[in-house]
Amino acid sequence: MNAVPSAIVLPDLTDPAFWAGDDSLPILRELRRRAPLWHLESATEGPLWCVLSHELAGEVLGDAARFSSERGSLLGTGRDRAPAGAGKMMALTDPPRHRHLRNLVLPYFSKRKATELRGRVVELTRQVVHGALGAAETDFVRGISSTVPLTVMCELLGVPDEDQGHVVGMCDRAFLGDTPEERAEAHQQLLPYLFGIGLRRQGDPRDDLISSLVTHEVDGRRLPLDEALLNLDNILVGGVQTVRHTSSTAMLALTRHPDAWEAMREDGYDPELGVEELLRWTSVGLHVLRTARTDTELAGRRVRAGERVVVWTPAANRDETEFEEPDRLRLDRTPNRHLALGWGPHYCIGAPLARVELAALFGVLSEAAERVEVLRPPVPNRSLINFGLDSLDVRLHPRAGRG
């Protein structure tokens, strides 16, 4: 067994305040250099194995036979009980059931579908950005980064046009409410709405995501309505949150790295490479949780069946053994095998659409705005799940001849 050095104190990585600190990444770098795997006794989560290296993260996330998702994919649901939806939601199932559920919705999130949606995404993005161009002040989080993902998800789900304003309002409160109580109340309003439309689509299916989930069969039986709703809610949350947090934290990063902002407008700039680097740099999905199925060995340490293993994404995505100059924002970085969208069987199903939405946003912004001015210090959301910003107040200064 490899011994772990004890000269450095392991901070509580389950405390969101740690990730809000400017010294979090240097601390993780030093920890990772000493050992790729650490054991943490968290005051709130209990004992955890913490994965900090890129190689070890890929091993855990890529091996569903050894490391299960069914007892939770995220911290925060309690130490000793499975979360609600375990074995029912895509995020909380293992193969082969996970694959069956994934195949039901895959046509709506394939690379081909994302390519089909690109024109619509660019059109919506231009409307949003040009509406904010030259305004005295805009909250980038609420006014820019959330609007397009919410609208596109409503269209994919099959929310009727006349209901979209209502659903977007509920989602805004569910994702952006000022208090946990407000966000929880909005989710409780959203679920009955989805239940009602799901019932209608069982009898009158259409070419949309809701119909697909409430009418198709898994393992020879129709997916129960409550399971369909849990998956719809999870898809909606994931489809909005990843893009919202990535785009707002990436925008902040670009204001702090003006050379990267200017690089977006240079001849030869590749938006696909740029998006991958912004995903790596921001790494807004802070962690992924797995539970050991059996006794196993990981980085020379003994991990027992039932013990929980956490992959810390920002640490893996700054691993100098995988990324050259990992602490530099290089929009032409290649190769770039980041883990911001996961790895293995649970690789983010919405990744192609997220890439299209992010490329559209920063393409339109760099084309329309000379610079983006941050008006006051951003407010971090202090979340352990998707670490991003609650607000980022900016002014978009139009390029010459615009606005």
Side-chain angles (χ1 to χ4, degrees):
M1 296 290 182
N2 293 339
V4 174
S6 57
I8 186 170
V9 176
L10 180 66
D12 186 357
L13 303 184
T14 65
D15 182 357
F18 169 79
W19 299 96
D22 293 335
D23 59 349
S24 60
L25 291 175
I27 290 172
L28 290 170
R29 180 171 59 244
E30 180 59 28
L31 288 168
R32 186 179 56 250
R33 285 175 176 172
R34 292 169 177 253
L37 182 69
W38 291 74
H39 195 265
L40 171 67
E41 288 288 344
S42 166
T44 55
E45 298 289 341
L48 300 169
W49 289 102
C50 295
V51 174
L52 303 184
S53 76
H54 185 277
E55 181 180 7
L56 209 60
E59 180 180 343
V60 171
L61 298 179
D63 193 345
R66 291 165 64 204
F67 301 102
S68 172
S69 301
E70 292 201 352
R71 289 199 60 82
S73 61
L74 296 169
L75 296 169
T77 59
R79 305 184 191 187
D80 302 317
R81 61 184 178 86
K88 299 178 180 179
M89 293 165 53
M90 270 193 298
L92 300 175
T93 54
D94 295 319
R97 181 167 174 76
H98 170 79
R99 185 170 58 254
H100 294 160
L101 288 171
R102 190 180 181 95
N103 287 343
L104 286 180
V105 301
L106 189 58
Y108 297 91
F109 296 103
S110 66
K111 196 168 184 178
R112 176 183 294 180
K113 182 66 174 180
T115 300
E116 291 175 4
L117 290 170
R118 180 178 287 120
R120 174 63 172 155
V121 169
V122 171
E123 173 194 359
L124 290 169
T125 303
R126 285 202 176 110
Q127 293 173 11
V128 171
V129 170
H130 290 189
L133 206 61
E137 182 173 322
T138 299
D139 183 349
F140 195 91
V141 177
R142 297 168 186 264
I144 296 179
S145 69
S146 305
T147 306
V148 173
L150 271 173
T151 303
V152 172
M153 284 303 302
C154 281
E155 293 177 355
L156 283 174
L157 263 67
V159 173
D161 291 346
E162 62 271 19
D163 290 354
Q164 284 194 14
H166 176 57
V167 173
V168 167
M170 285 190 290
C171 289
D172 271 343
R173 293 191 298 276
F175 302 144
L176 303 171
D178 292 330
T179 65
E181 291 76 20
E182 182 181 355
R183 294 192 289 270
E185 181 182 355
H187 268 294
Q188 292 305 312
Q189 294 171 354
L190 182 60
L191 285 170
Y193 172 82
L194 292 174
F195 184 84
I197 196 171
L199 278 177
R200 295 197 297 275
R201 294 294 160 79
Q202 280 186 328
D204 181 24
R206 303 178 186 180
D207 183 17
D208 57 45
L209 187 51
I210 292 177
S211 298
S212 181
L213 277 173
V214 301
T215 61
H216 284 71
E217 295 184 348
V218 178
D219 296 333
R221 66 182 181 96
R222 178 173 283 189
L223 193 66
L225 191 55
D226 66 319
E227 294 187 24
L229 294 180
L230 285 169
N231 280 282
L232 287 169
D233 185 67
N234 186 244
I235 289 168
L236 183 57
V237 170
V240 175
Q241 294 287 68
T242 298
V243 175
R244 174 169 78 90
H245 288 303
T246 299
S247 59
S248 57
T249 52
M251 187 69 258
L252 180 61
L254 289 167
T255 65
R256 293 172 173 174
H257 296 81
D259 56 328
W261 172 255
E262 290 302 321
M264 284 186 163
R265 292 190 291 218
E266 294 177 357
D267 291 341
Y269 169 69
D270 187 335
E272 292 186 4
L273 293 182
V275 164
E276 296 308 316
E277 178 67 348
L278 291 174
L279 283 162
R280 182 195 73 88
W281 184 266
T282 57
S283 295
V284 297
L286 282 183
H287 75 273
V288 182
L289 176 67
R290 295 289 184 262
T291 302
R293 289 177 173 274
T294 60
D295 290 357
T296 188
E297 187 176 287
L298 195 60
R301 313 282 308 273
R302 183 72 166 176
V303 177
R304 299 193 178 279
E307 291 186 328
R308 299 195 295 170
V309 181
V310 186
V311 171
W312 295 100
T313 312
N317 279 346
R318 296 292 181 102
D319 189 341
E320 56 278 352
T321 65
E322 174 65 29
F323 304 99
E324 182 181 353
E325 297 183 300
D327 295 323
R328 276 192 60 200
L329 181 61
R330 291 171 33 184
L331 298 184
D332 61 350
R333 183 183 296 277
T334 183
N336 193 345
R337 298 194 315 148
H338 65 78
L339 306 178
L341 298 172
W343 195 263
H346 282 267
Y347 185 76
C348 177
I349 195 169
L353 179 58
R355 289 183 168 104
V356 164
E357 291 173 343
L358 290 167
L361 176 58
F362 289 106
V364 172
L365 277 169
S366 61
E367 173 187 275
E370 184 63 36
R371 66 187 179 95
V372 178
E373 177 187 3
V374 178
L375 300 177
R376 57 185 59 87
V379 178
N381 66 350
R382 302 289 178 126
S383 167
L384 190 62
I385 297 172
N386 284 299
F387 194 82
L389 303 174
D390 273 344
S391 67
L392 177 64
D393 296 324
V394 301
R395 181 180 295 129
L396 306 186
H397 293 270
R399 297 187 72 179
R402 299 180 182 274

